[in-house]
Amino acid sequence: MNAFTGTGTLLRLALRRDRIMLPAWVYLLTASVASTAFSFKKLYSTGTSREQLAASLAGNSSLRALYGPLNDAASIGGITAWRMGVFGAALAGLMSILLVVRHTRAEEEDGRLELVRAGAVGHRAPLTAALATAALANLLLAVLVSTVLVVLGQAAAGSLAFGLSLAVCGLVFAGGAAVTAQLAETGRAANGSACAVLGLAYVLRAAGDSSSARDPGAVSRFSPIGWSEQVEPFAADRWWVLVLASAFAVLLAGVAYALVARRDLGAGLIPSRPGRTVGAPSLRTPLALAWRLQRGTLYGWSAGFAVGGAVFGGVAKGVLDLVRGNSGVADILRRMGGQQAVLDAYLSTVMGLLGMIAAGYAVQCVLRLRGEETGGRVEPVLATAVSRLRWAGGHLLFPLLGSGVILAVGGLTAGLAEGAAMGDLMGSVGRLLGGALVQLPAVWLAAAAATALFGLAPRWSSAAWGVLSVFLLIAWLGPVLQFGRRVLDFSPFTHIPRLPGGVFTVQPLLWLTLLAVGLTAAGLAGLRRRDLG
Amino acid sequence: MTTAISVSGLVKTFGRTRALDGLELTVAQGEVHGFLGPNGAGKSTTIRVLLGLLRADSGSARLLDGDPWHDAVALHRRLAYVPGDVTLWRNLSGGEAIDLLGRLRGGLDSARRAALLERFELDPTKKGRAYSKGNRQKVALVAALASDVELLVLDEPTSGLDPLMEEVFRECVAEERERGRTVLLSSHILSEVEALCDRVSIIRAGRTVETGTLNELRHLTRTAVDAELAAAPDGLSGLAGVHDLVVEGSRVRCQVDTDHLDALLRELTRIGVRSLTSRPPTLEELFLRHYQADTPAAEVAR
Ligand SMILES: Nc1ncnc2c1ncn2[C@@H]1O[C@H](COP(=O)(O)OP(=O)(O)OP(=O)(O)O)[C@@H](O)[C@H]1O
Ligand SMILES: [Mg+2]
């Protein structure tokens, strides 16, 4: 028996367990590329319309920070690669992280891997099976995305380069997650740290891309998502970047293999310290327990938002400088309503982005309830004098208030960074805090949808991620794809006033909040009457 | 005699599985009641209904004169529960988990807590999965036993405990009984049941097949008889209540229902007995007979 014995069986097991999740991810990603390309085919059918797009983008560093530079305006494939490249690569990364951690550290944490490893299974087999699953998913993604673009009449080389540029980012983060899965003791921590790196990679390239019009700045080269952009599908088709990135993914996997041989099953490389003999006097309520369980996540997200806010806020001045320095866009500037309007458009986009990410935090917090239930940890608690509502209430305080905390942190650092650069510290902080906190009703609605699922259809709790993805896709792609009003209305994020700059209206916020209260109440009512465990 | 738990006609289905199918269970105040049955019989399901975690489809359940579903919070102040499969929070130490669970129930006796930690030789500073299976079980046991409650609901509480700790557990339960507490003890360990329980209920496939003291149960089952007779017997197989009859010349071996023992012995002495051994069923035989799925419930209950 060698270290890889059993990999094939484990791979089949992984594919069977992921028979819904994996195709869903690949389908959603491919479908968003396909629908983007399809709608661009109608929107920008003429060369001049595409050149106009390129010209207006040249002056808009905020959009470049969000999507990356437009390298090839000559073809539909080129603008599709621009629009979907960064998000597609980041989402492929996220998919890979979730896949790898799910089959490695999460399995180990739940004790199932122990059972598996006791069979004729080598110590490298589980990791190999997990990496192979991620590799298959990314390969499938590359094939499907390339095929879709070729079918839509785009150049074969560019289509293939684009498909592979997404997949290769996925591979790098699969390797990264393989490493964090060895370091951290819990699946949650492994996911969290790998996602933090993913977030940092996105922010790094955002900073790099917004810094100048054509050259994607040196900082982008430190970001795996930046590498995917450097492939420049349809424009340069740099295959060697793909090779380099793949080599880096292999290197990371090698590090993970080296680490897996150096540690015990179930242990991380960072050992845990002994705990307290006696519980602190404050550890006496369901809320205190929820705080102990959720505080780490809150700290992590707050740190992420602090960094993200500061970077996006700091970039704001660059947006203006670029516009000022470029006479060609003076026209656009005037059309958009002057400097302040350009700045506000950028900042309100960033605030919207923070809101959407915060919704991910809120949904994660709600699903913690389900984790406690299926993990068997809720039974002993509910067998004491704690009602179901008090137990759930303790945890639900985090999507309610914790989301506010992370948004406030993001708005605050964005305001401080922008204010320091522009000179109006207090004004900036105030405006951006407002812009961040105004997102809360939409965040609450996403959390409320998760609560309703948890209470009324517990087995379908993780469908909350699906609901959130639909909300986000509509808010991101809806305006581009010119969805109808009805479809746009379905996402709470399209109802949030665009602050700073936009008109503040209370009405949609009230409606969203009311709806969130209603869904939460329905979920809690369901929780009170259903079976637990 | 007041009753601590009374369950009748309890039905609980999970989709197509009928986990409880008209279950009956009565536990008197102050008794230690053994709750037995093969895997999947519905013991844990019954306990979850009693704790208000599951909602029964039909039938009635009363716990400490309250409704387990509607009065859950008030009732839980008066009981403590130990699950068969304890999972702990990975960032809480065992000591913290004990204190938290005790306080959520309404407080725990810190002197008792310290004494129990010592008796069970449990290190309270470890966290979550750093505990071995048996030690996780001890955390839940200490948390339950250190509270001042009227009723202990224990679902296979000793799974994973070593024999020494099993002994400590028995002492603790005996002390609880002295104090007048009621204990519902689900267990697969027959010696534990024999040592601790005043009465037992045996369930199978969601139904109660037997309930009573161990002596009563013994009485209800068969006695093994092995006899050397003066002559070869005839007509023994015609006797009611005789099973598994083997005749080798003048030697006879059989099982006989205890209430038909009298008739068999009369027949044997009529032929003439040279030697005779009879043995009451061992506990294992008793339970095996009730557990075996191929014995129809009606026959078991006979
Ligand atoms: N949540 C559930 N969903 C579906 N079926 C369940 C559920 N809980 C229990 N069951 C089924 O109900 C039946 C009774 O299970 P239960 O756990 O009560 O058995 P048990 O007597 O405690 O067994 P053991 O001795 O193995 O602990 C089993 O067939 C089991 O599969
Ligand atoms: Mg059980």
Side-chain angles (χ1 to χ4, degrees), chain B residues 15-32:
Chain B
R16 258 167 283 140
T17 338
R18 217 170 159 83
L20 298 183
D21 190 12
L23 187 113
E24 311 279 331
L25 175 69
T26 310
V27 178
Q29 200 109 50
E31 79 173 357
V32 177

Side-chain angles (χ1 to χ4, degrees), chain A residues 109 186 275-280 283-284 292-293 372 375-377 379 382-385 388 528 531-532, chain B residues 12 48 52-55 69 73 76-77 81 87 89-91 93 95-96 99-100 103-104 113 124-125 129:
Chain A
E109 185 184 358
T186 66
R276 301 171 56 112
T277 316
V278 185
L283 188 64
R284 59 183 323 116
R292 274 297 288 276
L293 300 180
E372 288 289 290
R377 290 179 297 269
E379 262 185 32
L382 290 183
T384 67
R388 295 178 178 204
R528 283 190 60 186
D531 288 347
L532 269 172
Chain B
K12 175 70 196 174
R48 291 201 179 104
L53 296 167
L54 300 179
R55 206 181 167 106
W69 180 268
V73 173
H76 292 175
R77 275 185 225 289
Y81 166 58
T87 43
W89 297 277
R90 61 171 45 255
N91 47 356
S93 71
E96 286 178 310
D99 286 341
L100 174 72
R103 289 165 184 169
L104 290 177
R113 175 190 188 273
T125 64
R129 272 187 65 87

Side-chain angles (χ1 to χ4, degrees), chain A residues 477-502:
Chain A
L477 300 179
V480 181
L481 302 191
Q482 297 185 316
F483 286 165
R485 191 67 241 167
R486 286 256 180 83
V487 180
L488 285 179
D489 277 350
F490 186 70
S491 171
F493 294 97
T494 60
H495 298 278
I496 297 294
R498 291 178 58 81
L499 294 182

Side-chain angles (χ1 to χ4, degrees), chain A residues 52 76 379 401-402 424 487:
Chain A
Q52 264 167 15
I76 295 294
E379 262 185 32
L401 300 181
D424 176 19
V487 180

Side-chain angles (χ1 to χ4, degrees), chain A residues 147-310:
Chain A
T147 311
V148 158
L149 287 179
V150 170
V151 167
L152 287 173
Q154 301 310 303
S159 302
L160 187 62
F162 179 59
L164 288 174
S165 77
L166 303 187
V168 90
C169 184
L171 290 181
V172 169
F173 282 99
V179 173
T180 60
Q182 309 311 316
L183 298 175
E185 248 190 6
T186 66
R188 196 186 314 278
N191 270 328
S193 42
C195 287
V197 176
L198 180 68
L200 193 69
Y202 181 87
V203 167
L204 268 180
R205 62 131 286 281
D209 287 347
S210 63
S211 63
S212 80
R214 193 58 210 175
D215 175 37
V219 263
S220 300
R221 297 202 181 108
F222 290 101
S223 160
I225 304 178
W227 301 339
S228 293
E229 296 180 82
Q230 303 257 315
V231 174
E232 294 193 16
F234 297 98
D237 289 344
R238 288 193 199 105
W239 305 102
W240 59 267
V241 178
L242 292 171
V243 176
L244 272 189
S246 312
F248 187 66
V250 170
L251 181 77
L252 285 173
V255 171
Y257 278 123
L259 293 176
V260 88
R262 268 178 190 65
R263 65 180 187 84
D264 297 335
L265 186 72
L269 279 172
I270 306 158
S272 60
R273 285 164 294 138
R276 301 171 56 112
T277 316
V278 185
S282 59
L283 188 64
R284 59 183 323 116
T285 59
L287 177 60
L289 174 62
W291 168 247
R292 274 297 288 276
L293 300 180
Q294 300 241 18
R295 66 181 179 193
T297 318
L298 180 62
Y299 293 155
W301 280 80
S302 300
F305 268 60
V307 174

